[in-house]
Amino acid sequence: MTKDGMCKLSSLLTGVKCTFPPNGGKGCVEMIAEDLARLEDNNMLNDTCMAFFMKCLELELLQHNNHRHHFFNTFFLKMLQEAPLKPYNDNDSRLMKWTKGVDIFQKDYIYVPIHGGIHWSLVLICHPSAIINQLLQPPVKKMAAGRALSKNGPDKPLMLHLDSLSGTHDPAPIFQKLRWYLEQEWKWRMNNAMEESVPRTWKNSFLAAGVQVPEVRFSKQMLPGISMASRLPQQDDSVDCGLFLLSYIDFFSAADPMYVLAAGGLDSTDVIVASPKPEAANPSTIMSKLWFSKQNTARLRSHMLVLISKLMLGTLPAHDARYHRIKSAVEEYDKMLNIKGYRYLRPVEYLAFQTEQDAQETMCGGH
Protein backbone atom coordinates (compact mmCIF):
# COMPACT_ATOMS: atom_id res chain seq x y z
CA MET A 1 0.00 0.00 0.00
CA THR A 2 1.28 3.44 -0.84
CA LYS A 3 1.78 6.03 1.88
CA ASP A 4 -1.03 8.05 0.28
CA GLY A 5 -3.28 5.02 0.57
CA MET A 6 -2.43 4.65 4.23
CA CYS A 7 -3.28 8.30 4.89
CA LYS A 8 -6.56 7.89 3.07
CA LEU A 9 -7.61 5.14 5.43
CA SER A 10 -7.26 7.22 8.59
CA SER A 11 -9.01 10.22 7.03
CA LEU A 12 -11.75 8.20 5.32
CA LEU A 13 -12.63 6.40 8.54
CA THR A 14 -13.19 9.54 10.62
CA GLY A 15 -16.12 8.89 12.95
CA VAL A 16 -15.93 5.09 12.57
CA LYS A 17 -15.01 2.81 15.46
CA CYS A 18 -14.60 -0.91 16.01
CA THR A 19 -13.69 -3.38 18.73
CA PHE A 20 -11.33 -6.32 18.86
CA PRO A 21 -12.35 -9.04 19.21
CA PRO A 22 -15.38 -7.96 17.15
CA ASN A 23 -17.78 -9.66 19.58
CA GLY A 24 -16.33 -7.71 22.52
CA GLY A 25 -15.80 -9.42 25.85
CA LYS A 26 -13.35 -9.00 28.71
CA GLY A 27 -10.27 -7.05 27.73
CA CYS A 28 -11.58 -6.08 24.29
CA VAL A 29 -9.97 -3.07 22.60
CA GLU A 30 -12.02 -0.23 21.10
CA MET A 31 -10.44 1.72 18.24
CA ILE A 32 -11.33 4.91 16.42
CA ALA A 33 -9.94 6.61 13.30
CA GLU A 34 -7.60 8.78 15.39
CA ASP A 35 -5.82 5.60 16.46
CA LEU A 36 -5.14 4.77 12.81
CA ALA A 37 -3.40 8.11 12.41
CA ARG A 38 -0.87 7.00 15.04
CA LEU A 39 0.14 4.20 12.68
CA GLU A 40 1.17 6.61 9.94
CA ASP A 41 4.87 7.38 9.45
CA ASN A 42 6.66 9.56 12.00
CA ASN A 43 4.08 8.95 14.73
CA MET A 44 4.48 7.07 17.99
CA LEU A 45 2.03 4.28 18.70
CA ASN A 46 -0.50 5.03 21.43
CA ASP A 47 -1.88 2.71 24.11
CA THR A 48 -4.74 1.59 21.89
CA CYS A 49 -2.47 0.50 19.05
CA MET A 50 -0.26 -1.36 21.50
CA ALA A 51 -3.22 -3.03 23.21
CA PHE A 52 -4.70 -4.11 19.88
CA PHE A 53 -1.67 -6.00 18.62
CA MET A 54 -0.93 -7.55 22.02
CA LYS A 55 -4.53 -8.78 22.14
CA CYS A 56 -4.05 -10.27 18.65
CA LEU A 57 -0.97 -12.15 19.87
CA GLU A 58 -2.66 -13.28 23.09
CA LEU A 59 -5.70 -14.69 21.30
CA GLU A 60 -3.51 -16.37 18.70
CA LEU A 61 -1.65 -18.24 21.43
CA LEU A 62 -4.89 -19.27 23.13
CA GLN A 63 -6.32 -20.50 19.83
CA HIS A 64 -3.33 -22.86 19.68
CA ASN A 65 -4.00 -23.93 23.27
CA ASN A 66 -0.85 -22.22 24.49
CA HIS A 67 -1.46 -20.91 28.01
CA ARG A 68 2.16 -20.25 28.96
CA HIS A 69 2.04 -16.49 28.33
CA HIS A 70 0.34 -13.65 30.21
CA PHE A 71 -0.07 -10.11 28.89
CA PHE A 72 -0.48 -7.13 31.20
CA ASN A 73 -1.90 -4.11 29.44
CA THR A 74 -0.16 -0.76 28.99
CA PHE A 75 -1.73 0.78 32.10
CA PHE A 76 -0.69 -1.92 34.56
CA LEU A 77 2.81 -0.66 35.37
CA LYS A 78 1.66 2.94 35.81
CA MET A 79 -0.93 1.78 38.32
CA LEU A 80 1.64 -0.42 40.04
CA GLN A 81 4.15 2.43 40.33
CA GLU A 82 1.50 4.52 42.11
CA ALA A 83 0.78 1.77 44.67
CA PRO A 84 2.45 2.16 48.10
CA LEU A 85 4.99 -0.46 49.11
CA LYS A 86 2.87 -2.19 51.74
CA PRO A 87 1.31 -5.65 52.10
CA TYR A 88 -1.84 -6.46 50.17
CA ASN A 89 -5.12 -6.13 52.00
CA ASP A 90 -8.77 -6.56 51.08
CA ASN A 91 -8.90 -2.94 49.93
CA ASP A 92 -6.26 -3.44 47.23
CA SER A 93 -8.87 -4.31 44.61
CA ARG A 94 -7.08 -2.16 42.00
CA LEU A 95 -4.11 -4.52 42.17
CA MET A 96 -5.94 -7.79 42.59
CA LYS A 97 -8.33 -7.22 39.68
CA TRP A 98 -5.46 -7.42 37.19
CA THR A 99 -5.09 -11.14 37.77
CA LYS A 100 -8.65 -12.04 38.74
CA GLY A 101 -9.20 -15.65 37.75
CA VAL A 102 -5.59 -16.01 36.55
CA ASP A 103 -2.75 -17.56 38.53
CA ILE A 104 0.26 -15.84 36.99
CA PHE A 105 2.52 -18.37 38.72
CA GLN A 106 1.22 -20.97 36.29
CA LYS A 107 2.61 -18.90 33.44
CA ASP A 108 6.10 -19.21 32.03
CA TYR A 109 6.28 -15.73 30.50
CA ILE A 110 4.69 -12.46 31.57
CA TYR A 111 4.84 -9.31 29.43
CA VAL A 112 4.84 -5.92 31.17
CA PRO A 113 4.82 -2.94 28.76
CA ILE A 114 6.52 0.24 29.99
CA HIS A 115 5.55 3.73 28.80
CA GLY A 116 7.37 6.76 30.12
CA GLY A 117 9.36 9.73 28.84
CA ILE A 118 7.71 9.41 25.43
CA HIS A 119 9.17 5.92 25.01
CA TRP A 120 8.05 2.28 25.06
CA SER A 121 10.02 -0.66 26.43
CA LEU A 122 9.21 -4.06 27.90
CA VAL A 123 9.90 -6.24 30.92
CA LEU A 124 9.66 -9.97 30.33
CA ILE A 125 9.22 -12.01 33.52
CA CYS A 126 10.35 -15.61 33.02
CA HIS A 127 9.19 -18.60 35.06
CA PRO A 128 7.86 -16.84 38.19
CA SER A 129 6.92 -20.18 39.76
CA ALA A 130 10.61 -21.20 39.75
CA ILE A 131 10.84 -19.19 42.97
CA ILE A 132 9.96 -22.45 44.76
CA ASN A 133 13.39 -23.77 43.77
CA GLN A 134 14.91 -20.98 45.88
CA LEU A 135 12.70 -21.71 48.89
CA LEU A 136 12.63 -24.46 51.48
CA GLN A 137 10.94 -27.42 49.83
CA PRO A 138 7.94 -29.16 51.40
CA PRO A 139 8.85 -32.41 53.19
CA VAL A 140 6.98 -34.39 50.55
CA LYS A 141 7.57 -35.32 46.93
CA LYS A 142 8.79 -32.22 45.11
CA MET A 143 5.91 -30.55 43.32
CA ALA A 144 5.96 -29.25 39.78
CA ALA A 145 4.59 -25.72 39.60
CA GLY A 146 2.83 -24.69 36.41
CA ARG A 147 4.60 -26.23 33.44
CA ALA A 148 6.97 -28.94 34.59
CA LEU A 149 10.59 -27.81 34.50
CA SER A 150 13.27 -30.20 33.37
CA LYS A 151 16.20 -30.84 35.65
CA ASN A 152 18.25 -28.72 33.26
CA GLY A 153 15.74 -25.88 33.43
CA PRO A 154 15.89 -22.63 35.41
CA ASP A 155 16.46 -22.83 39.13
CA LYS A 156 15.11 -19.32 39.66
CA PRO A 157 12.83 -16.80 37.96
CA LEU A 158 14.31 -14.04 35.85
CA MET A 159 13.32 -10.58 34.60
CA LEU A 160 14.59 -9.19 31.29
CA HIS A 161 14.33 -5.56 30.17
CA LEU A 162 13.93 -5.29 26.39
CA ASP A 163 14.57 -1.74 25.22
CA SER A 164 15.09 -0.61 21.62
CA LEU A 165 16.69 2.69 22.70
CA SER A 166 19.29 1.77 25.30
CA GLY A 167 19.43 3.97 28.38
CA THR A 168 16.02 5.62 27.95
CA HIS A 169 14.32 3.66 30.73
CA ASP A 170 16.17 2.74 33.92
CA PRO A 171 15.04 -0.84 34.64
CA ALA A 172 16.29 -0.97 38.27
CA PRO A 173 13.28 0.73 39.95
CA ILE A 174 10.90 -1.15 37.66
CA PHE A 175 12.49 -4.47 38.60
CA GLN A 176 12.19 -3.50 42.28
CA LYS A 177 8.49 -2.69 42.01
CA LEU A 178 7.75 -5.88 40.10
CA ARG A 179 9.55 -7.94 42.76
CA TRP A 180 7.32 -6.31 45.37
CA TYR A 181 4.24 -7.01 43.28
CA LEU A 182 5.08 -10.68 42.70
CA GLU A 183 5.83 -11.18 46.38
CA GLN A 184 2.50 -9.66 47.39
CA GLU A 185 0.67 -11.66 44.72
CA TRP A 186 2.32 -14.88 45.93
CA LYS A 187 1.41 -14.23 49.56
CA TRP A 188 -2.17 -13.25 48.72
CA ARG A 189 -2.73 -16.34 46.57
CA MET A 190 -0.99 -18.55 49.11
CA ASN A 191 -3.51 -17.50 51.76
CA ASN A 192 -6.55 -17.39 49.48
CA ALA A 193 -8.51 -20.58 50.17
CA MET A 194 -11.12 -19.67 47.55
CA GLU A 195 -8.85 -20.30 44.54
CA GLU A 196 -6.40 -23.03 43.64
CA SER A 197 -2.96 -21.74 42.73
CA VAL A 198 0.70 -22.66 42.72
CA PRO A 199 1.37 -20.67 45.94
CA ARG A 200 -1.64 -22.27 47.67
CA THR A 201 -0.56 -25.78 46.66
CA TRP A 202 2.97 -25.08 47.88
CA LYS A 203 1.67 -23.86 51.25
CA ASN A 204 -0.70 -26.81 51.66
CA SER A 205 2.20 -29.21 51.17
CA PHE A 206 3.79 -27.84 54.33
CA LEU A 207 0.54 -27.81 56.26
CA ALA A 208 -0.17 -31.41 55.33
CA ALA A 209 3.20 -32.41 56.78
CA GLY A 210 2.66 -30.36 59.92
CA VAL A 211 5.60 -28.09 59.12
CA GLN A 212 5.66 -24.30 59.42
CA VAL A 213 5.38 -22.54 56.09
CA PRO A 214 8.59 -20.57 55.40
CA GLU A 215 8.68 -16.86 54.57
CA VAL A 216 8.59 -16.02 50.86
CA ARG A 217 10.78 -13.16 49.59
CA PHE A 218 11.24 -12.10 45.98
CA SER A 219 14.62 -10.53 46.59
CA LYS A 220 17.07 -9.30 43.99
CA GLN A 221 19.08 -12.46 44.53
CA MET A 222 16.08 -14.75 44.08
CA LEU A 223 14.63 -12.77 41.17
CA PRO A 224 17.43 -11.04 39.25
CA GLY A 225 16.85 -8.51 36.49
CA ILE A 226 18.98 -8.06 33.38
CA SER A 227 19.04 -5.32 30.75
CA MET A 228 19.05 -6.88 27.28
CA ALA A 229 19.37 -3.73 25.14
CA SER A 230 23.00 -4.34 24.17
CA ARG A 231 22.18 -7.56 22.32
CA LEU A 232 18.78 -6.71 20.76
CA PRO A 233 17.72 -5.02 17.50
CA GLN A 234 17.66 -1.25 18.10
CA GLN A 235 15.68 1.59 16.56
CA ASP A 236 17.46 4.39 14.71
CA ASP A 237 14.76 7.03 15.08
CA SER A 238 12.67 8.53 17.88
CA VAL A 239 9.23 7.09 17.07
CA ASP A 240 9.47 3.34 16.37
CA CYS A 241 9.88 2.16 19.98
CA GLY A 242 6.32 0.81 20.13
CA LEU A 243 6.86 -1.20 16.95
CA PHE A 244 10.02 -2.72 18.40
CA LEU A 245 8.25 -3.62 21.65
CA LEU A 246 5.49 -5.39 19.72
CA SER A 247 8.07 -7.17 17.53
CA TYR A 248 9.92 -8.35 20.64
CA ILE A 249 6.68 -9.89 21.92
CA ASP A 250 5.64 -11.27 18.53
CA PHE A 251 8.97 -12.98 17.85
CA PHE A 252 9.48 -14.23 21.41
CA SER A 253 5.98 -15.61 21.92
CA ALA A 254 6.11 -17.38 18.55
CA ALA A 255 9.45 -18.92 19.51
CA ASP A 256 7.88 -20.05 22.81
CA PRO A 257 11.17 -21.38 24.23
CA MET A 258 11.20 -24.19 26.75
CA TYR A 259 12.92 -21.92 29.26
CA VAL A 260 15.09 -18.83 29.68
CA LEU A 261 17.87 -18.60 32.24
CA ALA A 262 20.98 -16.65 33.15
CA ALA A 263 23.98 -18.95 33.19
CA GLY A 264 26.99 -17.85 35.18
CA GLY A 265 26.22 -14.17 35.63
CA LEU A 266 23.85 -11.25 35.25
CA ASP A 267 25.03 -9.80 31.96
CA SER A 268 22.91 -9.92 28.81
CA THR A 269 25.45 -12.30 27.29
CA ASP A 270 24.70 -14.78 30.09
CA VAL A 271 21.05 -15.16 29.09
CA ILE A 272 20.23 -18.48 27.42
CA VAL A 273 17.03 -18.97 25.42
CA ALA A 274 16.64 -22.73 25.35
CA SER A 275 14.80 -24.85 22.79
CA PRO A 276 12.77 -22.28 20.85
CA LYS A 277 10.36 -23.65 18.27
CA PRO A 278 12.52 -24.38 15.21
CA GLU A 279 9.94 -23.09 12.74
CA ALA A 280 9.78 -19.70 14.48
CA ALA A 281 13.32 -18.98 15.69
CA ASN A 282 16.93 -19.71 15.00
CA PRO A 283 18.69 -20.58 18.29
CA SER A 284 21.76 -18.65 17.13
CA THR A 285 19.90 -15.40 16.41
CA ILE A 286 17.01 -15.28 18.88
CA MET A 287 17.37 -12.26 21.17
CA SER A 288 20.36 -11.04 19.18
CA LYS A 289 20.97 -8.14 16.79
CA LEU A 290 20.00 -10.52 13.97
CA TRP A 291 16.70 -11.55 15.54
CA PHE A 292 14.70 -9.45 13.07
CA SER A 293 15.40 -6.47 10.84
CA LYS A 294 14.53 -2.81 11.34
CA GLN A 295 12.87 -2.84 7.94
CA ASN A 296 10.51 -5.64 8.90
CA THR A 297 9.67 -3.87 12.15
CA ALA A 298 8.81 -0.66 10.28
CA ARG A 299 6.37 -2.58 8.09
CA LEU A 300 4.35 -3.50 11.15
CA ARG A 301 2.75 -0.03 10.84
CA SER A 302 0.92 -0.80 7.60
CA HIS A 303 0.20 -4.36 8.77
CA MET A 304 -1.65 -3.09 11.84
CA LEU A 305 -3.30 -0.26 9.95
CA VAL A 306 -4.86 -2.70 7.49
CA LEU A 307 -5.93 -5.15 10.20
CA ILE A 308 -7.79 -2.38 12.03
CA SER A 309 -9.17 -0.93 8.80
CA LYS A 310 -10.67 -4.31 7.92
CA LEU A 311 -12.39 -4.38 11.30
CA MET A 312 -13.75 -0.88 10.73
CA LEU A 313 -14.82 -1.76 7.21
CA GLY A 314 -16.92 -4.54 8.68
CA THR A 315 -18.92 -1.99 10.66
CA LEU A 316 -19.83 0.08 7.57
CA PRO A 317 -22.88 -0.68 5.41
CA ALA A 318 -22.05 -1.34 1.75
CA HIS A 319 -24.05 1.72 0.71
CA ASP A 320 -21.79 4.05 2.73
CA ALA A 321 -19.98 6.34 0.28
CA ARG A 322 -16.63 5.45 1.88
CA TYR A 323 -17.07 1.69 1.79
CA HIS A 324 -15.69 0.94 -1.67
CA ARG A 325 -12.82 3.42 -1.39
CA ILE A 326 -11.69 1.84 1.88
CA LYS A 327 -12.21 -1.66 0.47
CA SER A 328 -10.08 -0.78 -2.54
CA ALA A 329 -7.26 0.58 -0.35
CA VAL A 330 -7.28 -2.58 1.79
CA GLU A 331 -7.31 -4.81 -1.28
CA GLU A 332 -4.27 -2.95 -2.59
CA TYR A 333 -2.34 -4.06 0.48
CA ASP A 334 -3.64 -7.60 0.14
CA LYS A 335 -2.17 -7.75 -3.36
CA MET A 336 1.22 -7.36 -1.73
CA LEU A 337 0.82 -10.57 0.28
CA ASN A 338 3.19 -12.41 -2.05
CA ILE A 339 5.81 -9.67 -2.10
CA LYS A 340 7.89 -10.53 0.93
CA GLY A 341 10.15 -7.53 0.69
CA TYR A 342 7.21 -5.18 1.15
CA ARG A 343 4.93 -6.35 3.93
CA TYR A 344 5.46 -7.26 7.56
CA LEU A 345 6.55 -10.86 8.00
CA ARG A 346 5.41 -12.73 11.08
CA PRO A 347 8.11 -14.80 12.85
CA VAL A 348 7.63 -18.15 11.07
CA GLU A 349 7.52 -16.50 7.66
CA TYR A 350 10.39 -14.16 8.50
CA LEU A 351 12.66 -17.06 9.51
CA ALA A 352 11.80 -18.97 6.33
CA PHE A 353 12.46 -15.87 4.22
CA GLN A 354 15.82 -15.21 5.91
CA THR A 355 16.84 -18.85 5.55
CA GLU A 356 16.03 -18.66 1.84
CA GLN A 357 17.96 -15.42 1.48
CA ASP A 358 20.98 -16.86 3.30
CA ALA A 359 20.93 -19.93 1.07
CA GLN A 360 20.86 -17.77 -2.06
CA GLU A 361 23.78 -15.66 -0.81
CA THR A 362 25.73 -18.82 -0.06
CA MET A 363 25.10 -20.12 -3.59
CA CYS A 364 26.14 -16.79 -5.12
CA GLY A 365 29.26 -16.77 -2.98
CA GLY A 366 30.07 -20.27 -4.16
CA HIS A 367 30.12 -19.10 -7.74
Side-chain angles (χ1 to χ4, degrees), residues 53-54 57-58 60-61 66 69 71 109 111 122 124 162 232-233 242-257 260 273 275-283 285-300 303 343-355:
F53 198 64
M54 286 194 292
L57 298 179
E58 178 184 11
E60 184 175 82
L61 288 167
N66 185 334
H69 305 253
F71 297 74
Y109 303 111
Y111 305 97
L122 175 74
L124 172 63
L162 284 63
L232 296 177
L243 298 172
F244 275 82
L245 184 157
L246 294 175
S247 293
Y248 291 151
I249 299 178
D250 191 9
F251 278 71
F252 183 87
S253 62
D256 193 31
V260 176
V273 184
S275 303
K277 290 183 177 179
E279 69 273 17
N282 183 334
T285 60
I286 187 170
M287 281 196 169
S288 78
K289 297 288 187 182
L290 300 177
W291 195 8
F292 51 79
S293 70
K294 299 174 184 177
Q295 293 79 7
N296 193 61
T297 302
R299 295 178 190 126
L300 183 53
H303 179 74
R343 59 186 172 83
Y344 177 71
L345 300 181
R346 298 291 307 283
V348 171
E349 195 173 21
Y350 181 84
L351 179 62
F353 178 66
Q354 287 300 116
T355 301

Side-chain angles (χ1 to χ4, degrees), residues 44-45 47 74 77 81 113-121 169:
M44 282 189 62
L45 273 60
D47 293 278
T74 57
L77 186 66
Q81 289 172 325
I114 305 166
H115 189 210
I118 320 178
H119 182 62
W120 289 102
S121 67
H169 286 160

Side-chain angles (χ1 to χ4, degrees), residues 40-325:
E40 295 168 7
D41 288 345
N42 302 315
N43 285 286
M44 282 189 62
L45 273 60
N46 62 5
D47 293 278
T48 303
C49 294
M50 304 294 289
F52 165 71
F53 198 64
M54 286 194 292
K55 178 59 69 173
C56 289
L57 298 179
E58 178 184 11
L59 293 181
E60 184 175 82
L61 288 167
L62 293 177
Q63 287 169 359
H64 289 86
N65 201 31
N66 185 334
H67 298 269
R68 303 181 67 210
H69 305 253
H70 182 75
F71 297 74
F72 279 117
N73 72 24
T74 57
F75 299 103
F76 169 73
L77 186 66
K78 185 176 186 298
M79 180 279 305
L80 184 62
Q81 289 172 325
E82 294 172 351
L85 293 172
K86 63 181 183 63
Y88 267 18
N89 59 54
D90 293 337
N91 296 321
D92 288 320
S93 57
R94 289 183 64 205
L95 289 173
M96 293 185 289
K97 74 175 183 178
W98 292 94
T99 54
K100 185 177 181 181
V102 178
D103 179 13
I104 58 175
F105 296 101
Q106 290 184 347
K107 307 296 182 179
D108 279 304
Y109 303 111
I110 301 172
Y111 305 97
V112 184
I114 305 166
H115 189 210
I118 320 178
H119 182 62
W120 289 102
S121 67
L122 175 74
V123 167
L124 172 63
I125 304 173
C126 307
H127 316 297
S129 66
I131 192 71
I132 65 172
N133 297 325
Q134 298 294 302
L135 303 172
L136 178 65
Q137 293 297 306
V140 293
K141 185 178 180 180
K142 187 174 181 179
M143 60 175 287
R147 177 174 174 169
L149 301 177
S150 74
K151 65 181 181 180
N152 295 319
D155 62 355
K156 65 173 63 175
L158 180 67
M159 290 187 290
L160 304 178
H161 182 226
L162 284 63
D163 192 344
S164 60
L165 200 59
S166 180
T168 306
H169 286 160
D170 179 6
I174 298 172
F175 287 154
Q176 181 181 2
K177 201 62 184 271
L178 287 171
R179 291 186 189 100
W180 171 84
Y181 169 73
L182 290 170
E183 182 174 317
Q184 298 306 311
E185 186 75 8
W186 177 282
K187 292 177 179 178
W188 178 74
R189 290 196 172 276
M190 184 179 70
N191 294 315
N192 182 7
M194 302 301 294
E195 296 182 14
E196 293 185 5
S197 66
V198 170
R200 184 71 181 174
T201 301
W202 180 80
K203 175 183 178 180
N204 286 341
S205 298
F206 284 93
L207 296 179
V211 177
Q212 183 177 354
V213 180
E215 180 72 12
V216 178
R217 296 298 304 274
F218 280 73
S219 64
K220 185 175 181 179
Q221 180 181 4
M222 290 188 172
L223 177 53
I226 298 176
S227 173
M228 298 291 290
S230 63
R231 62 181 272 183
L232 296 177
Q234 297 285 288
Q235 66 188 91
D236 54 11
D237 59 23
S238 60
V239 296
D240 282 352
C241 49
L243 298 172
F244 275 82
L245 184 157
L246 294 175
S247 293
Y248 291 151
I249 299 178
D250 191 9
F251 278 71
F252 183 87
S253 62
D256 193 31
M258 181 66 70
Y259 56 83
V260 176
L261 55 79
L266 296 178
D267 186 80
S268 64
T269 57
D270 296 313
V271 174
I272 296 175
V273 184
S275 303
K277 290 183 177 179
E279 69 273 17
N282 183 334
S284 66
T285 60
I286 187 170
M287 281 196 169
S288 78
K289 297 288 187 182
L290 300 177
W291 195 8
F292 51 79
S293 70
K294 299 174 184 177
Q295 293 79 7
N296 193 61
T297 302
R299 295 178 190 126
L300 183 53
R301 284 186 182 276
S302 57
H303 179 74
M304 292 173 61
L305 190 147
V306 170
L307 289 178
I308 298 172
S309 296
K310 286 181 178 180
L311 290 170
M312 291 185 170
L313 185 63
T315 69
L316 290 176
H319 60 75
D320 189 296
R322 299 168 294 178
Y323 181 87
H324 292 289
R325 294 176 66 188

